[in-house]
Amino acid sequence: MRKKMKRHTNPTRLLLLCHTKSTNENDGSWEGIQGVKMMQQGFISQHVAARALSALVSGNYVQQRLRPAIRPYSSATKEMTVRDALNSALDEEMAADPNVFIMGEEVGEYQGAYKISKGLLDKYGPERVVDTPITEAGFAGIGVGSAYHGLRPVIEFMTFNFSMQAIDHIINSAAKSNYMSAGQINVPIVFRGPNGPAAGVGAQHSQCYSAWYGSVPGLKVLVPYSSEDARGLLKAAIRDPDPVVFLENELLYGESFPISAEALDSNFCLPIGKAKIEREGKDVTITAFSKMVGYALKAAEILEKEEGINAEVINLRSIRPLDRETINASVRKTNRLVTVEEGFPQHGVGAEICASVVEDSFGYLDAGVERIAGADVPTPYAANLERWAFPQIEDIVRAAKRVCYRSLPMAVAVAATA
Amino acid sequence: MAFAGAKIIQPSLPLIHTTTRSPDNTLLSDPSFLSSPFLGSTRTLRLTQSISPAQRRSASPVVAVSDVFKEKKLKSNTNLLLTKEEGLQVYEDMILGRAFEDMCAQMYYRGKMFGFVHLYNGQEAVSSGFIKLLKKEDSVVSTYRDHVHALSKGVPARAVMSELFGKKTGCCRGQGGSMHMFSAEHNVLGGFAFIGEGIPVATGAAFASKYRREVLKEADCDHVTLAFFGDGTCNNGQFFECLNMAALWKLPIIFVVENNLWAIGMSHLRSTSDPEIWKKGPAFGMPGVHVDGMDVLKVREVAKEAIGRARRGEGPTLVECETYRFRGHSLADPDELRDPAEKARYAARDPITALKKYLIESKLANEAELKAIEKKIDEVVEDAVEFADESPAPSRSQLLENVFADPRGFGIGPDGSYRCEDPKFTQGTAQV
């Protein structure tokens, strides 16, 4: 039953539409994105791209859409906090598939330690929203065992620091099982929870685990930033047949982001392994994930205003698989790279990005890669020390300037002031 | 709840146990024992005296009994605990386990098998006693000493042997190895190298069974899960976490402790504050049972009760099987710390010899039939070795396969499409 569809000619809106993903592999969203990229790179004209894309998308729409009403796409007017985005994603996935259940500490009667699972106990009952004793190793393993038999658990760690008590199960019995059993047993489990520093919570509650989990084959590691990321990536994670580590950020839970109508659709999923270019630019590429994306965007504004440096900000969205293609394509365009992360610098995400760029796009680099990470210390408690222990907006600005040779390199600057 | 009626007898147990055992010091001669038989009571098995019932280090059995079961046992006083077919089936399974493991040792020393190989000789009664009572849909989770659990559950000997040789035709295509036997078809959920790791996974499988019945409303889903692990594991945190949650949520799981008294070279008595593992069950609200793990018939009786409990939804059971491994911890273990006298004592209680004796003496089978079974198993094992020998090694393209069920997790390739869609993805060096 084909509906009369509005012609979609705006490529940005088309790109958003193409992000809508069903579990059907061949839904053409990749072709759509490629088309837009080609257009952006000038290979095909905007008009051609728009017509091709709209044909693709209309075709997809008829396949994917179950509801008849197709709203005209105006620019996003609704706002949603990340917390609500996660809650709505969990709610919708639990409603759609009775195999999905949530397990963790305080997820039920307490409504979630950070209120992410608010209201779900009342809606789905204690058998599907399971409060556990304080037994990370135990309930992570229980989640894995039930996933072996086809259930889809969402295991919540109150923070990912506590996942260290269960890391044996995340890695040995979840990540490696599909391989060890030669494909007989897959593990459709999601481990989620807040990751990285919060505010004044001390050394044992502030570590970022993206690098640790990002190095394990067999895991998919996702790091949402905005509400749209949170919704789309969590839904994709729950529907994914493999173990997913979903690293949220406590300080982002309360932040509001504009959210588009299609992101509110219950079928909305983002592809796993694809980064998003949050801000286009041509002078320097800044990669970031989670909370640092917000900092990078603000830094980009400052750079634009004060220095006239036009920065491209990439929201990684996915640590494993890392979207090396988007990063390398961006570096080939801008020739300079700054990586930003909150985790410890050694063996961090930035180290991997730098290596990848050096391997694939060495000839395109006009300057050394700048790596901004958290300080190489356990997180201090005092507010000022904590601020110095993590990247701030000024650090990103300074690094971008350094990489653009707009300021003296750090060693010389220090010597000058001595 | 059956547990409420449990009687727990506390003997005065010295903490340092001697392992000497004399035939006089049998359980049967101890009056306190006779008045309170435990599950899988030795009373009805008086015939099999060669497996001297005084398995325990102490004189009297210290068990938790459910009154309900006690009554049942008092009524059934038949001599025969199993039918002829069951007897032959169990015998064949134990012979298969023994012959297979012996062949593994041979193959290892010839270089066909490598890495870590842990053999199960001597413990066959536990595997056959429990697993032969399961349905195909019930799950078994084990440790690294998992060859015989897989065989008992129904994984073909050929598949297990090929897996050990690292061939493509193995049950995990050569990707798992000795310590990681998985079979989705037979519900063998591994094969875990870390001790204690399998216990939460087994608890999860039991959770899935309960979830299916209660949330997904599959009324006939009464699948139980058996978790096998050793005495060393019982000091690990995950064990206690799972005892707690299994009892809390009344999960259909049986925790089977294969207490062979040794964790590599660490004696159970040196490492455990209270060596009686069965006692840890009642502490968490489930029955704890101790049984002679060298006697397959006793194990079977206990298993029947425990599995029945779990299927009816009455919750978990902790069964401690006192058993012994005739070989070292692994094929690389020189096994110098164990007292040869202790080894000899347990060798005299070989479960296979005991069952053979029982079958013959209770006229369930004759020598010829048993010999025929042994011959048949020899052929099966030889055939498995030949099959494994002739099977091809995995091809290079297999290296990157099976990491993900949805292999788009390998990310985007240089041409912008998913790497796994590139036809050359699994050829050449792994460039992901």
Side-chain angles (χ1 to χ4, degrees):
Chain A
M1 183 169 65
R2 286 190 81 86
K3 296 279 173 190
K4 251 310 195 199
M5 308 249 332
K6 257 182 120 165
R7 271 294 169 88
H8 306 293
T9 52
N10 183 321
T12 316
R13 280 185 217 135
L14 280 166
L15 189 55
L16 263 179
L17 284 173
C18 292
H19 277 156
T20 305
K21 191 180 169 314
S22 65
T23 47
N24 184 355
E25 290 186 31
N26 299 317
D27 61 359
S29 51
W30 286 120
E31 288 79 343
I33 292 174
Q34 294 315 307
V36 174
K37 266 166 74 173
M38 284 168 76
M39 183 202 70
Q40 287 169 345
Q41 291 161 8
F43 290 134
I44 55 179
S45 76
Q46 184 159 346
H47 185 57
V48 170
R51 289 191 63 179
L53 276 168
S54 94
L56 244 185
V57 167
S58 338
N60 287 346
Y61 257 91
V62 173
Q63 281 169 29
Q64 292 171 20
R65 286 294 179 261
L66 302 170
R67 47 178 84 166
I70 295 166
R71 295 180 281 267
Y73 293 96
S74 55
S75 55
T77 45
K78 269 199 79 174
E79 291 230 329
M80 195 185 226
T81 59
V82 172
R83 177 178 285 118
D84 289 338
L86 293 167
N87 184 278
S88 63
L90 284 170
D91 195 352
E92 287 163 18
E93 292 305 303
M94 287 182 79
D97 184 353
N99 284 318
V100 178
F101 69 95
I102 300 180
M103 189 179 249
E105 293 156 10
E106 310 294 5
V107 293
E109 292 192 4
Y110 198 78
Q111 309 296 322
Y114 295 97
K115 307 295 180 237
I116 304 296
S117 51
K118 186 170 182 175
L120 298 179
L121 174 67
D122 288 333
K123 244 179 132 166
Y124 298 104
E127 289 127 350
R128 292 187 68 191
V129 181
V130 184
D131 276 324
T132 62
I134 307 176
T135 45
E136 273 77 12
F139 67 73
I142 287 183
V144 173
S146 61
Y148 278 17
H149 273 306
L151 297 187
R152 294 186 162 254
V154 177
I155 302 292
E156 174 173 311
F157 292 116
M158 203 179 275
T159 75
F160 259 91
N161 300 279
F162 308 152
S163 75
M164 291 197 286
Q165 306 218 319
I167 199 168
D168 174 36
H169 282 290
I170 299 175
I171 296 181
N172 275 330
S173 52
K176 297 182 183 171
S177 287
N178 198 56
Y179 193 81
M180 289 197 295
S181 69
Q184 293 176 75
I185 294 176
N186 69 309
V187 191
I189 192 170
V190 176
F191 297 101
R192 52 158 292 271
N195 174 56
V201 291
Q204 294 186 352
H205 283 75
S206 305
Q207 190 165 334
C208 175
Y209 291 87
S210 48
W212 285 25
Y213 292 124
S215 69
V216 178
L219 278 185
K220 296 178 183 172
V221 180
L222 301 177
V223 277
Y225 162 62
S226 62
S227 309
E228 180 185 315
D229 288 356
R231 259 183 72 84
L233 291 176
L234 185 55
K235 282 156 107 46
I238 294 175
R239 295 179 189 195
D240 195 275
D242 291 306
V244 180
V245 170
F246 195 81
L247 304 172
E248 303 158 1
N249 187 296
E250 191 203 321
L251 299 177
L252 284 178
Y253 283 154
E255 257 193 62
S256 263
F257 292 89
I259 194 151
S260 55
E262 61 272 291
L264 290 170
D265 183 82
S266 68
N267 268 335
F268 174 69
C269 280
L270 287 175
I272 292 180
K274 198 83 183 89
K276 180 182 181 193
I277 299 182
E278 295 276 351
R279 181 186 203 275
E280 300 246 346
K282 54 182 175 49
D283 292 331
V284 59
T285 300
I286 305 178
T287 66
F289 60 92
S290 192
K291 194 170 91 198
M292 292 289 112
V293 176
Y295 283 32
L297 287 170
K298 293 208 185 77
E301 276 170 33
I302 295 175
L303 285 166
E304 182 85 62
K305 227 179 355 190
E306 292 176 9
E307 301 288 331
I309 295 177
N310 189 231
E312 176 149 297
V313 175
I314 300 183
N315 171 5
L316 289 177
R317 279 183 171 174
S318 165
I319 300 289
R320 185 178 251 275
L322 194 57
D323 191 355
R324 297 165 207 276
E325 278 327 297
T326 302
I327 298 168
N328 275 290
S330 174
V331 169
R332 288 176 189 213
K333 185 173 73 168
T334 63
N335 310 123
R336 296 165 205 274
L337 176 62
V338 174
T339 68
V340 187
E341 62 185 304
E342 287 189 296
F344 299 133
Q346 188 166 340
H347 310 298
V349 174
E352 176 62 29
I353 294 176
C354 176
S356 170
V357 163
V358 162
E359 280 166 10
D360 291 337
S361 315
F362 183 66
Y364 293 82
L365 282 171
D366 285 346
V369 175
E370 280 275 346
R371 199 174 34 147
I372 304 177
D376 204 12
V377 297
T379 308
Y381 166 69
N384 59 338
L385 287 178
E386 193 184 18
R387 207 171 39 248
W388 289 326
F390 292 107
Q392 305 298 329
I393 300 175
E394 311 82 64
D395 296 313
I396 306 177
V397 170
R398 275 201 302 271
K401 279 164 66 174
R402 274 198 303 274
V403 118
C404 294
Y405 297 143
R406 297 294 181 89
S407 62
L408 298 167
M410 283 181 74
V412 178
V414 164
T417 54
Chain B
M1 197 162 75
F3 162 66
K7 274 199 209 158
I8 300 170
I9 308 129
Q10 302 279 9
S12 53
L13 201 60
L15 213 46
I16 312 294
H17 302 265
T18 59
T19 49
T20 52
R21 214 167 307 232
S22 67
D24 303 305
N25 192 18
T26 63
L27 285 172
L28 296 176
S29 58
D30 180 359
S32 68
F33 165 65
L34 286 174
S35 61
S36 50
F38 57 77
L39 298 150
S41 136
T42 53
R43 296 196 309 124
T44 53
L45 298 172
R46 235 162 298 175
L47 302 161
T48 55
Q49 71 284 24
S50 61
I51 323 146
S52 80
Q55 319 325 342
R56 300 303 318 277
R57 298 161 281 259
S58 68
S60 50
V62 252
V63 294
V65 226
S66 74
D67 287 335
V68 174
F69 186 73
K70 207 171 71 174
E71 280 171 32
K72 271 200 259 177
K73 258 286 149 247
L74 287 165
K75 285 192 199 119
S76 71
N77 213 356
T78 63
N79 283 348
L80 297 175
L81 286 159
L82 31 64
T83 64
K84 176 172 179 161
E85 299 94 68
E86 286 170 353
L88 292 179
Q89 187 200 36
V90 171
Y91 186 75
E92 181 173 335
D93 193 53
M94 286 169 58
I95 291 280
L96 173 62
R98 182 68 61 89
F100 191 93
E101 297 292 73
D102 283 338
M103 184 60 79
C104 283
Q106 263 193 59
M107 292 296 117
Y108 190 85
Y109 294 127
R110 279 196 212 163
K112 302 270 179 78
M113 231 177 262
F114 35 89
F116 287 131
V117 179
H118 307 82
L119 298 181
Y120 201 73
N121 298 51
Q123 299 181 194
E124 295 87 359
V126 181
S127 177
S128 303
F130 267 95
I131 300 183
K132 281 308 176 198
L133 292 169
L134 294 181
K135 304 190 292 201
K136 192 163 191 201
E137 299 84 19
D138 295 324
S139 308
V140 165
V141 180
S142 178
T143 57
Y144 43 74
R145 207 178 295 283
D146 57 350
H147 308 167
V148 179
H149 295 134
L151 291 170
S152 291
K153 192 67 175 54
V155 182
R158 279 182 160 196
V160 180
M161 192 61 86
S162 290
E163 182 63 27
L164 293 169
F165 280 35
K167 299 291 175 84
K168 200 184 224 178
T169 46
C171 58
C172 296
R173 301 171 78 200
Q175 291 173 198
S178 164
M179 299 188 284
H180 305 295
M181 294 286 167
F182 287 87
S183 167
E185 186 195 339
H186 299 280
N187 283 307
V188 176
L189 303 182
F192 290 99
F194 280 48
I195 59 147
E197 188 179 352
I199 305 178
V201 173
T203 313
F207 183 91
S209 166
K210 183 168 194 244
Y211 190 94
R212 280 228 172 86
R213 187 166 49 203
E214 293 180 2
V215 178
L216 301 180
K217 308 288 184 221
E218 290 171 28
D220 56 349
C221 182
D222 60 352
H223 309 324
V224 306
T225 307
L226 296 187
F228 290 94
F229 48 95
D231 42 288
T233 309
C234 296
N235 294 327
N236 190 272
Q238 290 179 89
F239 170 59
F240 300 113
E241 293 185 8
C242 289
L243 285 183
N244 179 39
M245 287 192 274
L248 183 66
W249 296 326
K250 291 241 204 101
L251 300 180
I253 182 172
I254 299 110
F255 297 100
V256 184
V257 184
E258 295 167 324
N259 182 356
N260 56 22
L261 300 177
W262 291 89
I264 306 189
M266 188 64 162
S267 149
H268 178 55
L269 307 172
R270 271 183 75 210
S271 67
T272 315
S273 56
D274 185 349
E276 297 185 312
I277 301 171
W278 65 268
K279 268 202 223 164
K280 299 177 184 180
F284 287 93
M286 69 178 84
V289 188
H290 174 273
V291 69
D292 173 9
M294 302 305 269
D295 179 349
V296 68
L297 298 170
K298 287 185 201 148
V299 171
R300 222 178 124 88
E301 287 306 299
V302 172
K304 269 196 207 146
E305 166 68 7
I307 292 173
R309 252 180 66 85
R311 271 205 220 288
R312 289 188 298 271
E314 290 167 24
T317 316
L318 175 66
V319 181
E320 178 186 355
C321 302
E322 188 176 328
T323 179
Y324 202 76
R325 52 170 163 83
F326 294 158
R327 291 182 181 264
H329 164 73
S330 71
L331 287 173
D333 175 18
D335 195 15
E336 288 156 349
L337 289 172
R338 299 196 296 175
D339 181 16
E342 180 190 75
K343 289 192 227 183
R345 223 176 9 255
Y346 277 99
R349 291 165 53 192
D350 189 331
I352 293 180
T353 332
L355 180 64
K356 187 169 186 171
K357 193 157 184 213
Y358 177 81
L359 288 174
I360 291 180
E361 282 177 4
S362 50
K363 310 268 193 298
L364 283 174
N366 56 36
E367 276 279 353
E369 282 170 335
L370 299 180
K371 270 258 165 332
I373 290 180
E374 283 159 32
K375 189 157 183 306
K376 171 175 152 204
I377 292 296
D378 275 339
E379 280 166 19
V380 165
V381 173
E382 293 260 351
D383 167 73
V385 172
E386 258 182 56
F387 175 77
D389 247 340
E390 287 161 13
S391 296
S395 51
R396 190 168 188 173
S397 60
Q398 204 182 303
L399 179 65
L400 296 180
E401 289 173 11
N402 301 132
V403 178
F404 291 116
D406 171 12
R408 283 176 292 172
F410 279 104
I412 318 289
D415 55 355
S417 61
Y418 284 113
R419 281 180 201 276
C420 59
E421 283 161 10
D422 181 348
K424 300 245 245 19
F425 171 62
T426 51
Q427 305 298 325
T429 54
Q431 287 216 45
V432 286

